[in-house]
Amino acid sequence: MTDLAPFQQLMTMTDLLTPAAVRAAATLGIADHVAAGATTAGEIARRAGTKYDVTDSLLRYLAEIGLFLRDEAGTYALTPLAEPLLSDNPRSVRALLRNDNMTGSSTLALLRLDHTVRTGEPGYAAAFGRPFWETVNNDTEFVAEWQEHAALADREHVAGGRLGWDAGAIVTEYDWSGARSFVDVGGHLGVLTLALVRAHAHLHGTLLDLHNAAAEAGRRFARSEVADRLQAVEGSFFEPLPEGRDVYVLSAILADWTDDDAILILKRCREAAADHGRVLVADIAMPINGPGAELQMRSMMPAPARSAEQIEQLAAAAGLRLTWRGPGTAVRTLLEFTAA
Ligand SMILES: C[S@@+](CC[C@H](N)C(=O)[O-])C[C@H]1O[C@@H](n2cnc3c(N)ncnc32)[C@H](O)[C@@H]1O
């Protein structure tokens, strides 16, 4: 007789239906609709703007796996398992599981882990046809989320927020006295750019990032009290950068890129810095424990934990030589380079 146990175990291990169904519920806000009083498939589909028949199947499946209670009349109620999907739950995991936002969609890179294992590259482009950062920066569906993140960053600043991942060292440990200007290359929403110009009254900052990030950072700068010393420009760090600034900062950038790409980014900084400028690499080193965490990280970023020595080698390949090694921390390197 054939032993079905390993077959069944393997099929259960590899079943994509359950994660896809829970993610669909998170993306479509199904738990929120039920909590707000939509208790039938018809009403839930109407509020979620979804197809009735497939919504009905989804709800019946979610009831089967314990997220909802379904009575004889087809009325749904939340179980405790669905409560973390509620947007207003203080411990909500909805944002982590949505397919249509930055955090949730970044983990979908795991769908093409085979590609990451084969090439060492992130899986997102293999799964969806376009790299992650390009997608979230160019698709209009992500604009609202960038705006929310920018508003959150403003609120955190007002509340005295700190720079994450030991980025405060870039502001306090580097000697900015000899610099007048810098480019925050891949500066995201400008948290670091703003912190630098606020802490050093003589500094002028330029943030460079892709479309959605640069647009949102520009709006943040315009409403800040230091707007006259800031600008945000849209561009790619694989293309020539704004020239002639004193320092080109790469904060938490290189980890997202393969060695070849990282060398190109460093070259772009070296070219723009020319003879007098400096390149300040403040990369992150993610703490990673165990093979599962390694695979999750590697599916998203090619080099989550490069050492200072590895960064020096990349910089050397880009024609840069080390001029200062700052007090790095467990999660942040701090290295200054100049053209070799
Ligand atoms: C991990 S975030 C780092 C943000 C910021 N420097 C920090 O320290 O938190 C990477 C940033 O690089 C930007 N980025 C990705 N590809 C880019 C490209 N080709 N040119 C410019 N910016 C890019 C992303 O939009 C994102 O803001």
Side-chain angles (χ1 to χ4, degrees), residues 133-134 136-137 146 167 170 184-189 191-192 208-210 213 235-238 249-253 256-257 265 282 284 301 332:
W133 286 118
E134 252 181 58
V136 300
N137 268 298
W146 281 103
I170 304 166
D184 190 358
V185 181
H188 202 63
L189 292 167
V191 173
L192 175 66
L208 175 124
D209 210 299
L210 299 175
S236 169
F237 44 51
F238 293 112
V249 185
L250 286 169
S251 164
I253 296 297
D256 277 342
W257 301 97
I265 296 166
I284 42 164
M301 49 174 72
R332 182 73 72 164

PDB file of all heavy atoms in Angstrom, residues 133-134 136-137 146 167 170 184-189 191-192 208-210 213 235-238 249-253 256-257 265 282 284 301 332, ligand 1:
ATOM      1  N   TRP A 133      11.416  48.605  -5.565  1.00  0.00           N
ATOM      2  CA  TRP A 133      11.463  50.066  -5.348  1.00  0.00           C
ATOM      3  C   TRP A 133      10.890  50.828  -6.528  1.00  0.00           C
ATOM      4  O   TRP A 133      10.245  51.866  -6.378  1.00  0.00           O
ATOM      5  CB  TRP A 133      12.892  50.541  -5.059  1.00  0.00           C
ATOM      6  CG  TRP A 133      13.370  50.192  -3.684  1.00  0.00           C
ATOM      7  CD1 TRP A 133      14.423  49.396  -3.365  1.00  0.00           C
ATOM      8  CD2 TRP A 133      12.808  50.627  -2.433  1.00  0.00           C
ATOM      9  NE1 TRP A 133      14.547  49.303  -1.994  1.00  0.00           N
ATOM     10  CE2 TRP A 133      13.577  50.050  -1.405  1.00  0.00           C
ATOM     11  CE3 TRP A 133      11.729  51.441  -2.086  1.00  0.00           C
ATOM     12  CZ2 TRP A 133      13.303  50.265  -0.050  1.00  0.00           C
ATOM     13  CZ3 TRP A 133      11.456  51.655  -0.731  1.00  0.00           C
ATOM     14  CH2 TRP A 133      12.238  51.076   0.261  1.00  0.00           C
ATOM     15  N   GLU A 134      11.107  50.294  -7.746  1.00  0.00           N
ATOM     16  CA  GLU A 134      10.523  50.948  -8.926  1.00  0.00           C
ATOM     17  C   GLU A 134       9.004  50.906  -8.871  1.00  0.00           C
ATOM     18  O   GLU A 134       8.329  51.876  -9.205  1.00  0.00           O
ATOM     19  CB  GLU A 134      10.962  50.201 -10.183  1.00  0.00           C
ATOM     20  CG  GLU A 134      11.955  50.948 -11.014  1.00  0.00           C
ATOM     21  CD  GLU A 134      12.312  50.145 -12.248  1.00  0.00           C
ATOM     22  OE1 GLU A 134      11.430  49.805 -13.028  1.00  0.00           O
ATOM     23  OE2 GLU A 134      13.517  49.839 -12.375  1.00  0.00           O
ATOM     24  N   VAL A 136       6.935  50.589  -6.152  1.00  0.00           N
ATOM     25  CA  VAL A 136       6.293  51.421  -5.125  1.00  0.00           C
ATOM     26  C   VAL A 136       6.534  52.911  -5.369  1.00  0.00           C
ATOM     27  O   VAL A 136       5.813  53.754  -4.849  1.00  0.00           O
ATOM     28  CB  VAL A 136       6.744  51.033  -3.689  1.00  0.00           C
ATOM     29  CG1 VAL A 136       6.389  49.590  -3.410  1.00  0.00           C
ATOM     30  CG2 VAL A 136       8.222  51.282  -3.465  1.00  0.00           C
ATOM     31  N   ASN A 137       7.544  53.229  -6.185  1.00  0.00           N
ATOM     32  CA  ASN A 137       7.810  54.643  -6.466  1.00  0.00           C
ATOM     33  C   ASN A 137       7.103  55.156  -7.707  1.00  0.00           C
ATOM     34  O   ASN A 137       6.999  56.369  -7.888  1.00  0.00           O
ATOM     35  CB  ASN A 137       9.318  54.871  -6.620  1.00  0.00           C
ATOM     36  CG  ASN A 137       9.964  55.245  -5.303  1.00  0.00           C
ATOM     37  OD1 ASN A 137       9.626  56.265  -4.725  1.00  0.00           O
ATOM     38  ND2 ASN A 137      10.869  54.423  -4.818  1.00  0.00           N
ATOM     39  N   TRP A 146       2.711  56.523   0.711  1.00  0.00           N
ATOM     40  CA  TRP A 146       3.880  57.385   0.920  1.00  0.00           C
ATOM     41  C   TRP A 146       3.460  58.634   1.716  1.00  0.00           C
ATOM     42  O   TRP A 146       4.172  59.090   2.607  1.00  0.00           O
ATOM     43  CB  TRP A 146       4.497  57.819  -0.419  1.00  0.00           C
ATOM     44  CG  TRP A 146       5.377  56.797  -1.094  1.00  0.00           C
ATOM     45  CD1 TRP A 146       5.042  56.028  -2.161  1.00  0.00           C
ATOM     46  CD2 TRP A 146       6.730  56.442  -0.771  1.00  0.00           C
ATOM     47  NE1 TRP A 146       6.100  55.223  -2.512  1.00  0.00           N
ATOM     48  CE2 TRP A 146       7.154  55.456  -1.683  1.00  0.00           C
ATOM     49  CE3 TRP A 146       7.632  56.876   0.210  1.00  0.00           C
ATOM     50  CZ2 TRP A 146       8.427  54.887  -1.655  1.00  0.00           C
ATOM     51  CZ3 TRP A 146       8.907  56.315   0.244  1.00  0.00           C
ATOM     52  CH2 TRP A 146       9.288  55.330  -0.679  1.00  0.00           C
ATOM     53  N   ALA A 167      21.055  55.503  13.000  1.00  0.00           N
ATOM     54  CA  ALA A 167      21.388  56.535  12.000  1.00  0.00           C
ATOM     55  C   ALA A 167      21.764  57.857  12.666  1.00  0.00           C
ATOM     56  O   ALA A 167      22.360  58.734  12.014  1.00  0.00           O
ATOM     57  CB  ALA A 167      20.217  56.736  11.039  1.00  0.00           C
ATOM     58  N   ILE A 170      25.216  59.240  12.103  1.00  0.00           N
ATOM     59  CA  ILE A 170      25.571  60.009  10.898  1.00  0.00           C
ATOM     60  C   ILE A 170      25.526  61.508  11.230  1.00  0.00           C
ATOM     61  O   ILE A 170      26.340  62.295  10.748  1.00  0.00           O
ATOM     62  CB  ILE A 170      24.583  59.702   9.744  1.00  0.00           C
ATOM     63  CG1 ILE A 170      24.539  58.207   9.462  1.00  0.00           C
ATOM     64  CG2 ILE A 170      24.930  60.493   8.492  1.00  0.00           C
ATOM     65  CD1 ILE A 170      23.364  57.771   8.577  1.00  0.00           C
ATOM     66  N   ASP A 184      21.628  63.446   0.070  1.00  0.00           N
ATOM     67  CA  ASP A 184      21.161  62.224   0.724  1.00  0.00           C
ATOM     68  C   ASP A 184      20.668  61.323  -0.417  1.00  0.00           C
ATOM     69  O   ASP A 184      19.560  61.471  -0.919  1.00  0.00           O
ATOM     70  CB  ASP A 184      20.029  62.581   1.709  1.00  0.00           C
ATOM     71  CG  ASP A 184      19.638  61.415   2.607  1.00  0.00           C
ATOM     72  OD1 ASP A 184      20.214  60.320   2.434  1.00  0.00           O
ATOM     73  OD2 ASP A 184      18.757  61.603   3.459  1.00  0.00           O
ATOM     74  N   VAL A 185      21.543  60.414  -0.823  1.00  0.00           N
ATOM     75  CA  VAL A 185      21.302  59.610  -2.036  1.00  0.00           C
ATOM     76  C   VAL A 185      20.359  58.457  -1.690  1.00  0.00           C
ATOM     77  O   VAL A 185      20.703  57.610  -0.865  1.00  0.00           O
ATOM     78  CB  VAL A 185      22.654  59.076  -2.577  1.00  0.00           C
ATOM     79  CG1 VAL A 185      22.426  58.253  -3.843  1.00  0.00           C
ATOM     80  CG2 VAL A 185      23.629  60.219  -2.834  1.00  0.00           C
ATOM     81  N   GLY A 186      19.181  58.445  -2.302  1.00  0.00           N
ATOM     82  CA  GLY A 186      18.168  57.462  -1.905  1.00  0.00           C
ATOM     83  C   GLY A 186      17.630  57.836  -0.538  1.00  0.00           C
ATOM     84  O   GLY A 186      17.480  56.993   0.338  1.00  0.00           O
ATOM     85  N   GLY A 187      17.309  59.105  -0.366  1.00  0.00           N
ATOM     86  CA  GLY A 187      16.990  59.658   0.963  1.00  0.00           C
ATOM     87  C   GLY A 187      15.592  59.371   1.466  1.00  0.00           C
ATOM     88  O   GLY A 187      15.208  59.841   2.535  1.00  0.00           O
ATOM     89  N   HIS A 188      14.792  58.622   0.688  1.00  0.00           N
ATOM     90  CA  HIS A 188      13.461  58.190   1.154  1.00  0.00           C
ATOM     91  C   HIS A 188      12.612  59.427   1.461  1.00  0.00           C
ATOM     92  O   HIS A 188      12.517  60.304   0.607  1.00  0.00           O
ATOM     93  CB  HIS A 188      13.648  57.287   2.375  1.00  0.00           C
ATOM     94  CG  HIS A 188      12.500  56.369   2.647  1.00  0.00           C
ATOM     95  ND1 HIS A 188      12.101  55.387   1.777  1.00  0.00           N
ATOM     96  CD2 HIS A 188      11.671  56.287   3.720  1.00  0.00           C
ATOM     97  CE1 HIS A 188      11.067  54.733   2.303  1.00  0.00           C
ATOM     98  NE2 HIS A 188      10.790  55.275   3.477  1.00  0.00           N
ATOM     99  N   LEU A 189      12.061  59.520   2.660  1.00  0.00           N
ATOM    100  CA  LEU A 189      11.169  60.641   2.979  1.00  0.00           C
ATOM    101  C   LEU A 189      11.900  61.795   3.657  1.00  0.00           C
ATOM    102  O   LEU A 189      11.273  62.733   4.133  1.00  0.00           O
ATOM    103  CB  LEU A 189      10.024  60.143   3.860  1.00  0.00           C
ATOM    104  CG  LEU A 189       9.077  59.202   3.121  1.00  0.00           C
ATOM    105  CD1 LEU A 189       8.161  58.480   4.091  1.00  0.00           C
ATOM    106  CD2 LEU A 189       8.258  59.970   2.091  1.00  0.00           C
ATOM    107  N   VAL A 191      13.959  61.819   6.382  1.00  0.00           N
ATOM    108  CA  VAL A 191      14.123  61.860   7.845  1.00  0.00           C
ATOM    109  C   VAL A 191      15.563  62.248   8.202  1.00  0.00           C
ATOM    110  O   VAL A 191      15.796  63.143   9.021  1.00  0.00           O
ATOM    111  CB  VAL A 191      13.750  60.491   8.472  1.00  0.00           C
ATOM    112  CG1 VAL A 191      14.065  60.462   9.964  1.00  0.00           C
ATOM    113  CG2 VAL A 191      12.272  60.200   8.239  1.00  0.00           C
ATOM    114  N   LEU A 192      16.518  61.609   7.529  1.00  0.00           N
ATOM    115  CA  LEU A 192      17.927  61.920   7.799  1.00  0.00           C
ATOM    116  C   LEU A 192      18.296  63.310   7.259  1.00  0.00           C
ATOM    117  O   LEU A 192      18.982  64.083   7.941  1.00  0.00           O
ATOM    118  CB  LEU A 192      18.828  60.847   7.164  1.00  0.00           C
ATOM    119  CG  LEU A 192      20.331  61.119   7.264  1.00  0.00           C
ATOM    120  CD1 LEU A 192      20.795  61.084   8.716  1.00  0.00           C
ATOM    121  CD2 LEU A 192      21.122  60.098   6.430  1.00  0.00           C
ATOM    122  N   LEU A 208      17.860  62.907  -3.067  1.00  0.00           N
ATOM    123  CA  LEU A 208      17.591  62.315  -4.373  1.00  0.00           C
ATOM    124  C   LEU A 208      16.909  60.961  -4.166  1.00  0.00           C
ATOM    125  O   LEU A 208      17.388  60.141  -3.389  1.00  0.00           O
ATOM    126  CB  LEU A 208      18.895  62.128  -5.155  1.00  0.00           C
ATOM    127  CG  LEU A 208      18.663  61.403  -6.495  1.00  0.00           C
ATOM    128  CD1 LEU A 208      19.185  62.237  -7.649  1.00  0.00           C
ATOM    129  CD2 LEU A 208      19.272  60.018  -6.505  1.00  0.00           C
ATOM    130  N   ASP A 209      15.795  60.781  -4.852  1.00  0.00           N
ATOM    131  CA  ASP A 209      15.119  59.474  -4.773  1.00  0.00           C
ATOM    132  C   ASP A 209      14.223  59.338  -6.004  1.00  0.00           C
ATOM    133  O   ASP A 209      14.095  60.282  -6.802  1.00  0.00           O
ATOM    134  CB  ASP A 209      14.300  59.352  -3.471  1.00  0.00           C
ATOM    135  CG  ASP A 209      14.198  57.899  -2.979  1.00  0.00           C
ATOM    136  OD1 ASP A 209      13.649  57.061  -3.725  1.00  0.00           O
ATOM    137  OD2 ASP A 209      14.664  57.608  -1.869  1.00  0.00           O
ATOM    138  N   LEU A 210      13.606  58.174  -6.136  1.00  0.00           N
ATOM    139  CA  LEU A 210      12.680  57.929  -7.249  1.00  0.00           C
ATOM    140  C   LEU A 210      11.388  58.726  -7.041  1.00  0.00           C
ATOM    141  O   LEU A 210      11.206  59.385  -6.013  1.00  0.00           O
ATOM    142  CB  LEU A 210      12.398  56.428  -7.378  1.00  0.00           C
ATOM    143  CG  LEU A 210      13.637  55.571  -7.660  1.00  0.00           C
ATOM    144  CD1 LEU A 210      13.266  54.083  -7.643  1.00  0.00           C
ATOM    145  CD2 LEU A 210      14.278  55.938  -8.993  1.00  0.00           C
ATOM    146  N   ALA A 213       8.828  58.832  -3.687  1.00  0.00           N
ATOM    147  CA  ALA A 213       9.574  59.228  -2.489  1.00  0.00           C
ATOM    148  C   ALA A 213      10.038  60.680  -2.598  1.00  0.00           C
ATOM    149  O   ALA A 213       9.864  61.469  -1.662  1.00  0.00           O
ATOM    150  CB  ALA A 213      10.776  58.310  -2.290  1.00  0.00           C
ATOM    151  N   GLY A 235      15.283  61.302  -9.245  1.00  0.00           N
ATOM    152  CA  GLY A 235      16.326  60.744 -10.102  1.00  0.00           C
ATOM    153  C   GLY A 235      16.719  59.375  -9.608  1.00  0.00           C
ATOM    154  O   GLY A 235      16.262  58.928  -8.559  1.00  0.00           O
ATOM    155  N   SER A 236      17.569  58.716 -10.388  1.00  0.00           N
ATOM    156  CA  SER A 236      18.034  57.383 -10.006  1.00  0.00           C
ATOM    157  C   SER A 236      19.517  57.447  -9.664  1.00  0.00           C
ATOM    158  O   SER A 236      20.286  58.126 -10.347  1.00  0.00           O
ATOM    159  CB  SER A 236      17.840  56.407 -11.163  1.00  0.00           C
ATOM    160  OG  SER A 236      18.520  55.199 -10.877  1.00  0.00           O
ATOM    161  N   PHE A 237      19.898  56.702  -8.627  1.00  0.00           N
ATOM    162  CA  PHE A 237      21.326  56.691  -8.277  1.00  0.00           C
ATOM    163  C   PHE A 237      22.148  55.803  -9.210  1.00  0.00           C
ATOM    164  O   PHE A 237      23.343  55.646  -9.017  1.00  0.00           O
ATOM    165  CB  PHE A 237      21.572  56.369  -6.799  1.00  0.00           C
ATOM    166  CG  PHE A 237      20.788  55.250  -6.183  1.00  0.00           C
ATOM    167  CD1 PHE A 237      20.723  53.995  -6.764  1.00  0.00           C
ATOM    168  CD2 PHE A 237      20.157  55.447  -4.953  1.00  0.00           C
ATOM    169  CE1 PHE A 237      20.036  52.963  -6.168  1.00  0.00           C
ATOM    170  CE2 PHE A 237      19.439  54.403  -4.341  1.00  0.00           C
ATOM    171  CZ  PHE A 237      19.382  53.166  -4.956  1.00  0.00           C
ATOM    172  N   PHE A 238      21.508  55.247 -10.225  1.00  0.00           N
ATOM    173  CA  PHE A 238      22.281  54.560 -11.270  1.00  0.00           C
ATOM    174  C   PHE A 238      22.643  55.523 -12.403  1.00  0.00           C
ATOM    175  O   PHE A 238      23.354  55.155 -13.330  1.00  0.00           O
ATOM    176  CB  PHE A 238      21.503  53.360 -11.808  1.00  0.00           C
ATOM    177  CG  PHE A 238      21.335  52.273 -10.777  1.00  0.00           C
ATOM    178  CD1 PHE A 238      20.088  51.969 -10.249  1.00  0.00           C
ATOM    179  CD2 PHE A 238      22.434  51.585 -10.296  1.00  0.00           C
ATOM    180  CE1 PHE A 238      19.942  50.988  -9.294  1.00  0.00           C
ATOM    181  CE2 PHE A 238      22.307  50.603  -9.329  1.00  0.00           C
ATOM    182  CZ  PHE A 238      21.050  50.304  -8.826  1.00  0.00           C
ATOM    183  N   VAL A 249      25.858  61.094   0.841  1.00  0.00           N
ATOM    184  CA  VAL A 249      25.535  60.142   1.910  1.00  0.00           C
ATOM    185  C   VAL A 249      24.753  58.965   1.333  1.00  0.00           C
ATOM    186  O   VAL A 249      23.759  59.159   0.622  1.00  0.00           O
ATOM    187  CB  VAL A 249      24.659  60.816   3.003  1.00  0.00           C
ATOM    188  CG1 VAL A 249      24.431  59.846   4.170  1.00  0.00           C
ATOM    189  CG2 VAL A 249      25.285  62.111   3.484  1.00  0.00           C
ATOM    190  N   LEU A 250      25.219  57.770   1.632  1.00  0.00           N
ATOM    191  CA  LEU A 250      24.475  56.549   1.270  1.00  0.00           C
ATOM    192  C   LEU A 250      24.075  55.873   2.575  1.00  0.00           C
ATOM    193  O   LEU A 250      24.875  55.162   3.192  1.00  0.00           O
ATOM    194  CB  LEU A 250      25.363  55.605   0.458  1.00  0.00           C
ATOM    195  CG  LEU A 250      25.654  55.989  -0.993  1.00  0.00           C
ATOM    196  CD1 LEU A 250      26.758  55.097  -1.567  1.00  0.00           C
ATOM    197  CD2 LEU A 250      24.395  55.896  -1.852  1.00  0.00           C
ATOM    198  N   SER A 251      22.856  56.132   3.015  1.00  0.00           N
ATOM    199  CA  SER A 251      22.390  55.555   4.273  1.00  0.00           C
ATOM    200  C   SER A 251      21.410  54.422   3.978  1.00  0.00           C
ATOM    201  O   SER A 251      20.354  54.645   3.377  1.00  0.00           O
ATOM    202  CB  SER A 251      21.711  56.640   5.118  1.00  0.00           C
ATOM    203  OG  SER A 251      20.949  56.054   6.147  1.00  0.00           O
ATOM    204  N   ALA A 252      21.770  53.234   4.404  1.00  0.00           N
ATOM    205  CA  ALA A 252      20.893  52.049   4.230  1.00  0.00           C
ATOM    206  C   ALA A 252      20.507  51.854   2.776  1.00  0.00           C
ATOM    207  O   ALA A 252      19.347  51.615   2.456  1.00  0.00           O
ATOM    208  CB  ALA A 252      19.651  52.173   5.107  1.00  0.00           C
ATOM    209  N   ILE A 253      21.474  51.992   1.893  1.00  0.00           N
ATOM    210  CA  ILE A 253      21.211  51.827   0.463  1.00  0.00           C
ATOM    211  C   ILE A 253      21.847  50.550  -0.087  1.00  0.00           C
ATOM    212  O   ILE A 253      21.187  49.734  -0.711  1.00  0.00           O
ATOM    213  CB  ILE A 253      21.754  53.045  -0.337  1.00  0.00           C
ATOM    214  CG1 ILE A 253      21.005  54.319   0.071  1.00  0.00           C
ATOM    215  CG2 ILE A 253      21.646  52.795  -1.844  1.00  0.00           C
ATOM    216  CD1 ILE A 253      19.523  54.303  -0.228  1.00  0.00           C
ATOM    217  N   ASP A 256      20.532  46.789  -0.306  1.00  0.00           N
ATOM    218  CA  ASP A 256      19.464  46.390  -1.242  1.00  0.00           C
ATOM    219  C   ASP A 256      20.002  45.943  -2.589  1.00  0.00           C
ATOM    220  O   ASP A 256      19.208  45.569  -3.461  1.00  0.00           O
ATOM    221  CB  ASP A 256      18.540  47.593  -1.519  1.00  0.00           C
ATOM    222  CG  ASP A 256      17.492  47.770  -0.437  1.00  0.00           C
ATOM    223  OD1 ASP A 256      17.254  46.808   0.310  1.00  0.00           O
ATOM    224  OD2 ASP A 256      16.910  48.865  -0.355  1.00  0.00           O
ATOM    225  N   TRP A 257      21.320  46.007  -2.786  1.00  0.00           N
ATOM    226  CA  TRP A 257      21.845  45.805  -4.135  1.00  0.00           C
ATOM    227  C   TRP A 257      22.972  44.780  -4.179  1.00  0.00           C
ATOM    228  O   TRP A 257      23.731  44.642  -3.224  1.00  0.00           O
ATOM    229  CB  TRP A 257      22.327  47.160  -4.699  1.00  0.00           C
ATOM    230  CG  TRP A 257      21.185  48.144  -4.713  1.00  0.00           C
ATOM    231  CD1 TRP A 257      20.910  49.101  -3.769  1.00  0.00           C
ATOM    232  CD2 TRP A 257      20.107  48.207  -5.675  1.00  0.00           C
ATOM    233  NE1 TRP A 257      19.741  49.766  -4.086  1.00  0.00           N
ATOM    234  CE2 TRP A 257      19.226  49.239  -5.241  1.00  0.00           C
ATOM    235  CE3 TRP A 257      19.808  47.506  -6.840  1.00  0.00           C
ATOM    236  CZ2 TRP A 257      18.073  49.568  -5.951  1.00  0.00           C
ATOM    237  CZ3 TRP A 257      18.649  47.838  -7.545  1.00  0.00           C
ATOM    238  CH2 TRP A 257      17.806  48.864  -7.102  1.00  0.00           C
ATOM    239  N   ILE A 265      26.539  52.326  -7.977  1.00  0.00           N
ATOM    240  CA  ILE A 265      26.026  53.432  -7.143  1.00  0.00           C
ATOM    241  C   ILE A 265      27.204  54.216  -6.550  1.00  0.00           C
ATOM    242  O   ILE A 265      27.227  55.455  -6.564  1.00  0.00           O
ATOM    243  CB  ILE A 265      25.118  52.880  -6.014  1.00  0.00           C
ATOM    244  CG1 ILE A 265      23.868  52.217  -6.605  1.00  0.00           C
ATOM    245  CG2 ILE A 265      24.730  53.986  -5.041  1.00  0.00           C
ATOM    246  CD1 ILE A 265      23.077  51.359  -5.600  1.00  0.00           C
ATOM    247  N   ALA A 282      26.933  54.815   5.137  1.00  0.00           N
ATOM    248  CA  ALA A 282      26.399  54.426   6.452  1.00  0.00           C
ATOM    249  C   ALA A 282      25.399  53.314   6.200  1.00  0.00           C
ATOM    250  O   ALA A 282      24.190  53.533   6.209  1.00  0.00           O
ATOM    251  CB  ALA A 282      25.740  55.628   7.126  1.00  0.00           C
ATOM    252  N   ILE A 284      23.457  49.592   6.623  1.00  0.00           N
ATOM    253  CA  ILE A 284      22.940  48.819   7.751  1.00  0.00           C
ATOM    254  C   ILE A 284      23.463  47.379   7.679  1.00  0.00           C
ATOM    255  O   ILE A 284      23.769  46.868   6.611  1.00  0.00           O
ATOM    256  CB  ILE A 284      21.393  48.778   7.778  1.00  0.00           C
ATOM    257  CG1 ILE A 284      20.843  48.573   6.379  1.00  0.00           C
ATOM    258  CG2 ILE A 284      20.824  49.974   8.460  1.00  0.00           C
ATOM    259  CD1 ILE A 284      19.415  48.150   6.376  1.00  0.00           C
ATOM    260  N   MET A 301      16.634  41.484  -0.105  1.00  0.00           N
ATOM    261  CA  MET A 301      17.859  42.288  -0.291  1.00  0.00           C
ATOM    262  C   MET A 301      19.074  41.382  -0.448  1.00  0.00           C
ATOM    263  O   MET A 301      19.250  40.443   0.320  1.00  0.00           O
ATOM    264  CB  MET A 301      18.046  43.279   0.859  1.00  0.00           C
ATOM    265  CG  MET A 301      17.913  42.702   2.229  1.00  0.00           C
ATOM    266  SD  MET A 301      18.332  43.910   3.510  1.00  0.00           S
ATOM    267  CE  MET A 301      16.960  45.030   3.461  1.00  0.00           C
ATOM    268  N   ARG A 332      25.184  49.296  12.052  1.00  0.00           N
ATOM    269  CA  ARG A 332      25.456  50.431  11.147  1.00  0.00           C
ATOM    270  C   ARG A 332      26.959  50.610  10.957  1.00  0.00           C
ATOM    271  O   ARG A 332      27.696  50.689  11.938  1.00  0.00           O
ATOM    272  CB  ARG A 332      24.835  51.663  11.803  1.00  0.00           C
ATOM    273  CG  ARG A 332      24.917  52.968  11.081  1.00  0.00           C
ATOM    274  CD  ARG A 332      24.023  53.095   9.894  1.00  0.00           C
ATOM    275  NE  ARG A 332      22.615  53.228  10.141  1.00  0.00           N
ATOM    276  CZ  ARG A 332      21.753  53.654   9.211  1.00  0.00           C
ATOM    277  NH1 ARG A 332      22.155  54.016   8.012  1.00  0.00           N
ATOM    278  NH2 ARG A 332      20.473  53.705   9.468  1.00  0.00           N
TER     279      ARG A 332
HETATM  280  C1  LIG B   1      16.023  51.171   2.403  1.00  0.00           C
HETATM  281  S1  LIG B   1      15.505  52.738   1.831  1.00  0.00           S
HETATM  282  C2  LIG B   1      16.728  53.756   2.636  1.00  0.00           C
HETATM  283  C3  LIG B   1      16.221  55.127   2.877  1.00  0.00           C
HETATM  284  C4  LIG B   1      17.096  56.086   3.651  1.00  0.00           C
HETATM  285  N1  LIG B   1      18.331  56.424   2.983  1.00  0.00           N
HETATM  286  C5  LIG B   1      17.351  55.631   5.059  1.00  0.00           C
HETATM  287  O1  LIG B   1      18.472  55.735   5.544  1.00  0.00           O
HETATM  288  O2  LIG B   1      16.400  55.209   5.736  1.00  0.00           O
HETATM  289  C6  LIG B   1      16.025  52.744   0.125  1.00  0.00           C
HETATM  290  C7  LIG B   1      15.653  53.997  -0.634  1.00  0.00           C
HETATM  291  O3  LIG B   1      16.281  53.928  -1.914  1.00  0.00           O
HETATM  292  C8  LIG B   1      15.375  54.430  -2.861  1.00  0.00           C
HETATM  293  N2  LIG B   1      15.735  53.926  -4.190  1.00  0.00           N
HETATM  294  C9  LIG B   1      15.587  52.674  -4.680  1.00  0.00           C
HETATM  295  N3  LIG B   1      16.071  52.606  -5.932  1.00  0.00           N
HETATM  296  C10 LIG B   1      16.525  53.842  -6.251  1.00  0.00           C
HETATM  297  C11 LIG B   1      17.155  54.402  -7.394  1.00  0.00           C
HETATM  298  N4  LIG B   1      17.398  53.663  -8.474  1.00  0.00           N
HETATM  299  N5  LIG B   1      17.518  55.703  -7.369  1.00  0.00           N
HETATM  300  C12 LIG B   1      17.273  56.460  -6.273  1.00  0.00           C
HETATM  301  N6  LIG B   1      16.675  55.994  -5.132  1.00  0.00           N
HETATM  302  C13 LIG B   1      16.311  54.692  -5.140  1.00  0.00           C
HETATM  303  C14 LIG B   1      14.030  53.945  -2.379  1.00  0.00           C
HETATM  304  O4  LIG B   1      12.958  54.659  -2.954  1.00  0.00           O
HETATM  305  C15 LIG B   1      14.162  54.155  -0.881  1.00  0.00           C
HETATM  306  O5  LIG B   1      13.745  55.435  -0.510  1.00  0.00           O
END
